[in-house]
Each structure stands twice: as structure tokens, then as C-alpha cells.
């Protein structure tokens, strides 16, 4: 590609990028003074409202971790629960994120619901749940989820797509025949929230940001609520 064609391609990309609109919908109001004293009830409410608004895959979220050298990493996965213990997800302990959490058990989560201009951010230490909880988590999900877990080898180098096809076909057959099959290393994790931020977008960019944080920085102290500049 010549310099001129590369420049033209980049200009076309920028034109396309800058033409994209943000929040071409009527956004809900959010009055932080009426928010509950703890973040979990508000999260449950916002999640239900995202579902009611037709938000696609509202249970997907970004998980950010750092590796043993302190280099950041991020990926999208599914929320499995949000309760008094924290925000839950699951993966192979041998995956990249599993290894990173073993080295540095702290993470950040991000959920984005553009249908309502809302974001939720969670930060805190991460704990691996018991093997029994991991098994229960996996077997409460779909056959496809079990088949994917049975394939394993997440984040390893793949020789070819044909190799993946063979492993996946075998895993689907086993998942159908053995719905209670165990998967070594499958682990459920929970992020214990030390900070939770709720972001409500505004068409005039007067975004509302409400942060909950533990007053003592630990998991047992009271929550402090504070507004942040957008």
C-alpha cells in the first residue's frame, strides 16, 4: 500500500468514526440523592431496567487484570451473579486471566448499557470460590457452556482451526452424553467490591457519576457515597 492510499484509508476510517452518533435515544433520569445506601440494590435495579429497555446481552462485562509484571489485560465475559459477596464470573484457572488473578488477585469490572447511557464500574480484590461452587456454576449453565469448558486449553496457541473443530465436536458429544461431567480447573471467582461507580450519561454531557467506596478501604466498613465530576 502506498503512502497516499494508506492516508486515504485512514481518512475514510476517521470520517466513519466521527460520523457515529452517541445516545440517539431518550436517556433516563438519575437522581443520586435517592440512591440506596449500598451499591448492590442499585445495580440490581439498573440491570433490570437495562433488560426491560431491550439492551442486548446486558450480562456481558469487561474484566481487567494485571499480570505478574504489572502489565494490564482486559477481555469481555459474562456476569454469573451479583450478591452480598460481590460480582461473580468463572473461567479456567489455567487461562490467562486465571494465571493473572493467581499472581495479582485484584480486578476491575465494567458494564456498559448504551440503550440507557449507563455504565457500572467495580473494583476490588478477587477470591476463588470453592471447587463445589465452580462445579455448580458450570452445571447450572447450558450444554454449550459445558462443551466450551471441556475443550479447555484457553489462551494456548492453536495449531489450526481444524484442530479446534475436532476438539469442539468431541466436547459437544461428551457434554450431551455426560451433563454432569467435571472440568478440572474450572473456577468461579468473586470480585469483592471496594469501589462501585454508577454513570448516567446525559445528552448535554452533564453526566452523573455516583461512586460508592468503603470508608476504611476494606470489605466490612460502611459505604461512602460521593459525586464525581464527569
Amino acid at each position: 500500500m502506498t503512502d497516499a492510499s494508506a492516508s486515504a484509508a485512514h481518512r475514510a476510517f476517521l470520517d466513519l468514526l466521527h460520523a457515529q452518533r452517541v445516545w440517539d435515544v431518550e436517556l433516563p433520569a438519575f437522581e443520586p440523592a435517592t440512591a440506596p445506601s449500598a451499591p448492590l440494590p442499585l445495580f440490581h435495579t439498573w440491570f433490570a431496567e437495562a433488560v426491560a429497555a431491550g439492551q442486548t446481552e446486558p450480562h456481558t462485562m469487561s474484566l481487567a487484570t494485571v499480570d505478574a509484571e504489572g502489565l494490564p489485560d482486559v477481555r469481555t465475559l459474562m456476569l454469573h451473579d451479583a450478591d452480598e459477596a460481590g460480582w461473580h464470573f468463572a473461567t479456567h484457572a489455567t487461562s490467562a486471566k486465571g494465571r493473572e488473578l493467581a499472581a495479582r488477585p485484584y480486578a476491575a469490572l465494567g458494564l456498559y448499557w448504551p440503550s440507557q447511557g449507563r455504565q457500572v464500574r467495580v473494583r476490588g480484590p478477587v477470591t476463588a470460590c470453592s471447587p463445589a461452587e465452580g462445579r455448580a456454576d458450570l452445571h447450572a449453565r447450558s450444554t454449550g457452556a459445558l462443551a466450551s469448558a471441556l475443550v479447555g486449553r484457553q489462551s494456548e496457541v492453536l495449531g489450526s482451526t481444524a484442530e479446534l473443530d475436532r476438539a469442539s465436536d468431541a466436547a459437544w458429544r461428551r457434554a450431551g452424553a455426560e451433563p454432569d461431567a467435571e472440568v478440572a480447573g474450572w473456577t468461579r471467582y468473586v470480585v469483592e467490591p471496594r469501589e462501585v461507580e454508577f454513570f448516567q450519561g446525559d445528552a448535554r454531557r452533564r453526566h452523573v457519576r455516583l461512586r460508592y467506596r468503603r470508608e476504611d478501604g476494606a470489605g466490612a466498613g460502611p459505604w461512602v457515597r460521593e459525586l464525581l465530576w464527569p
Side-chain angles (χ1 to χ4, degrees):
M1 182 180 290
T2 66
D3 290 345
S5 59
S7 178
H10 185 228
R11 171 48 55 193
F13 164 74
L14 286 178
D15 289 343
L16 182 63
L17 177 64
H18 295 158
Q20 303 312 300
R21 303 284 297 175
V22 177
W23 301 328
D24 279 342
V25 294
E26 184 175 349
L27 300 178
F30 173 48
E31 177 47 67
T34 65
S37 59
L40 185 62
L42 182 56
F43 179 80
H44 286 166
T45 296
W46 275 27
F47 184 86
E49 290 176 354
V51 173
Q55 176 62 55
T56 303
E57 297 182 352
H59 58 323
T60 57
M61 61 184 183
S62 298
L63 167 70
T65 56
V66 294
D67 62 18
E69 286 72 46
L71 298 176
D73 204 352
V74 67
R75 74 286 290 164
T76 302
L77 40 63
M78 289 186 180
L79 175 69
H80 287 203
D81 196 3
D83 59 16
E84 293 297 336
W87 276 250
H88 301 244
F89 63 93
T91 188
H92 292 277
T94 54
S95 67
K97 52 187 170 295
R99 296 193 303 271
E100 289 163 0
L101 289 170
R104 297 186 176 222
Y106 207 94
L109 304 173
L111 296 101
Y112 177 46
W113 300 316
S115 64
Q116 296 195 300
R118 286 175 170 174
Q119 300 179 54
V120 180
R121 301 168 60 211
V122 182
R123 299 174 68 203
V126 181
T127 301
C129 299
S130 69
E133 290 175 286
R135 288 192 297 270
D137 173 271
L138 183 59
H139 296 136
R141 300 177 67 206
S142 66
T143 300
L146 176 58
S148 178
L150 285 167
V151 171
R153 304 185 64 177
Q154 191 177 72
S155 304
E156 295 182 18
V157 175
L158 175 65
S160 69
T161 56
E163 184 180 357
L164 173 60
D165 290 342
R166 290 190 295 271
S168 179
D169 289 344
W172 272 93
R173 289 193 296 271
R174 186 181 175 196
E178 302 177 46
D180 294 326
E182 295 194 12
V183 179
W186 184 260
T187 305
R188 180 165 173 146
Y189 295 90
V190 58
V191 180
E192 176 191 319
R194 300 292 172 82
E195 293 184 12
V196 184
E197 181 188 324
F198 294 83
F199 172 102
Q200 174 62 69
D202 177 80
R204 298 190 67 184
R205 303 303 191 264
R206 298 172 181 175
H207 313 311
V208 178
R209 296 177 60 190
L210 174 64
R211 180 174 65 188
Y212 292 79
R213 61 177 176 83
R214 291 291 191 184
E215 188 168 26
D216 60 359
W223 288 103
V224 174
R225 296 187 309 173
E226 49 201 4
L227 294 173
L228 304 177
W229 280 87

